[in-house]
Each structure stands twice: as C-alpha cells, then as structure tokens.
Amino acid sequence: HIIDSQILMGITGFFPFLEIHGEIQEIKGGGELEKYVRGKVVGIDLSQWIVRDFAQAQQFPADKCSKEDRMTWPLVQMLRRISNYITKGGADAVVGIMDASRSNSNKLVRGNVTKNGIHQRRNLCGLNGSIKRLFSSFGFQTLRTPDEIGEADAYLGLLQRENLIDVIDSSDSDCYASG
C-alpha cells in the first residue's frame, strides 16, 4: 500500500492509473488509516516530506514566524506524521528513509550537484541530526539509502518488495517502479 496525500512527482496520472487497476490504495486518514496500517511497518520518504515542508515554511510571513519556527516546521510536521501512524493508525513501527548521502549523476537537473558536477552532500535542509533524534525518541530507525540506489522512494520500493516494510508514505512513483 502506498500512502499518497498529493501527487507531486513522477509520471502524471501514474498513481490514478494504478489505483483504478487495484495496484495501490490512497489512504486518507481516520478509520481508513487504521485499516491499512494497524500492525504494519510504515516506511516514510523523509527526503521528500522534509524538503516539501521546509519549502512551505519559507513562505511563512517573517513578521509572524521566526527563523527558528520556520526551521522546526518540518520536524513538527514529521512528528505529527509519526504520531498519526502510531496513535490513530496503530502501526507497529515507522522507519524513516533518507536519500543517499551524496547525489548521483542523474540528479544534475534537480540541482543536487554543483554546476561543475561535484556531488553535494545531502542534509535535508540541515535537519538530518534532528530527524534522527525525533525517530530515535519513538524507538524507530532512520536509514540512509545506499549510494547505488540514490533516492529514498526507490529504496522504499525495494524494502517493500523484500517484505521489510508493509506501507510506503511517498508521493513519488519511483517507489512503485522499484518495488
């Protein structure tokens, strides 16, 4: 099962196509969340959600939101995500998956490497340590995607195919193609 609150990446119309054919299920929350995650292990694409929430926080008005509030917004959102899976959904565990520590050559277009081609370290808006501590405080793990795989969504698909996680929280279709 794939939890997808918003299709942001991948092939336009791919998730709806798969849903029509019974290949995936969009899980919206409430009782439906419990139906699909109770007793399961949920894998979250940290890279996607943290970057999205960080970008959202940068749009907050400076006169109403401090720089610190904008920096912690992604962590607050992730805390809500984890607690919903546990308290409302009854998930047994939540695993956070980060992109590989260095970008690979196919990421040139997305700006994950400099113009001269030097691979940049990925640090999720400077929040890697805080994210790890957040997951650890719940007794959950964060994993770094192996360099040869590159992206968290592709690694999530592989982990699901290997029956190491049951549910994927990502809106990127790479998780389906890989799993």
Side-chain angles (χ1 to χ4, degrees), residues 50-51 54 71 75 121-131 133:
I50 296 296
V51 169
F54 184 82
M71 284 300 294
L75 296 171
R121 295 197 63 75
R122 293 176 168 165
N123 189 8
L124 293 180
C125 311
L127 297 171
N128 280 355
S130 298
I131 292 164
R133 285 189 296 278

Side-chain angles (χ1 to χ4, degrees), residues 16-62:
F17 172 81
L18 293 173
E19 192 169 12
I20 289 169
H21 291 85
E23 295 294 322
I24 64 169
Q25 174 68 45
E26 181 176 354
I27 303 172
K28 299 199 188 251
E32 190 173 327
L33 179 67
E34 183 178 8
K35 176 180 172 184
Y36 289 103
V37 303
R38 177 157 298 286
K40 307 281 178 144
V41 177
V42 177
I44 299 177
D45 181 346
L46 293 175
S47 302
Q48 174 212 341
W49 294 119
I50 296 296
V51 169
R52 184 203 70 171
D53 292 337
F54 184 82
Q56 181 185 34
Q58 301 319 299
Q59 304 304 313
F60 296 164

Side-chain angles (χ1 to χ4, degrees), residues 5-169:
S5 58
Q6 197 173 24
I7 307 297
L8 300 173
M9 305 163 102
I11 303 166
T12 303
F14 186 57
F15 278 175
F17 172 81
L18 293 173
E19 192 169 12
I20 289 169
H21 291 85
E23 295 294 322
I24 64 169
Q25 174 68 45
E26 181 176 354
I27 303 172
K28 299 199 188 251
E32 190 173 327
L33 179 67
E34 183 178 8
K35 176 180 172 184
Y36 289 103
V37 303
R38 177 157 298 286
K40 307 281 178 144
V41 177
V42 177
I44 299 177
D45 181 346
L46 293 175
S47 302
Q48 174 212 341
W49 294 119
I50 296 296
V51 169
R52 184 203 70 171
D53 292 337
F54 184 82
Q56 181 185 34
Q58 301 319 299
Q59 304 304 313
F60 296 164
D63 61 331
K64 297 183 182 196
C65 187
S66 71
K67 181 179 178 182
E68 182 179 332
D69 290 340
R70 286 192 297 276
M71 284 300 294
T72 58
W73 178 253
L75 296 171
V76 170
Q77 296 307 306
M78 189 56 63
L79 174 62
R80 289 179 177 156
R81 198 170 213 80
I82 295 169
S83 63
N84 279 338
Y85 285 130
I86 302 306
T87 61
K88 294 180 181 175
D92 278 353
V94 179
V95 179
I97 308 296
M98 293 186 257
D99 285 341
S101 60
R102 291 190 180 269
S103 58
N104 54 33
S105 58
N106 69 358
K107 303 311 284 177
L108 282 168
V109 245
R110 290 198 188 160
N112 289 340
V113 295
T114 62
K115 290 182 181 178
N116 65 6
I118 295 173
H119 298 284
Q120 297 296 306
R121 295 197 63 75
R122 293 176 168 165
N123 189 8
L124 293 180
C125 311
L127 297 171
N128 280 355
S130 298
I131 292 164
K132 289 177 182 178
R133 285 189 296 278
L134 176 65
F135 271 76
S136 178
S137 69
F138 281 93
F140 300 140
Q141 290 185 318
T142 55
L143 302 174
R144 176 70 74 177
T145 299
D147 288 339
E148 62 273 9
I149 295 172
E151 291 193 35
D153 47 332
Y155 193 41
L156 283 162
L158 176 69
L159 292 172
Q160 187 178 44
R161 187 175 68 212
E162 298 294 324
N163 295 315
L164 297 172
I165 62 170
D166 303 300
V167 178
I168 296 174
D169 181 347

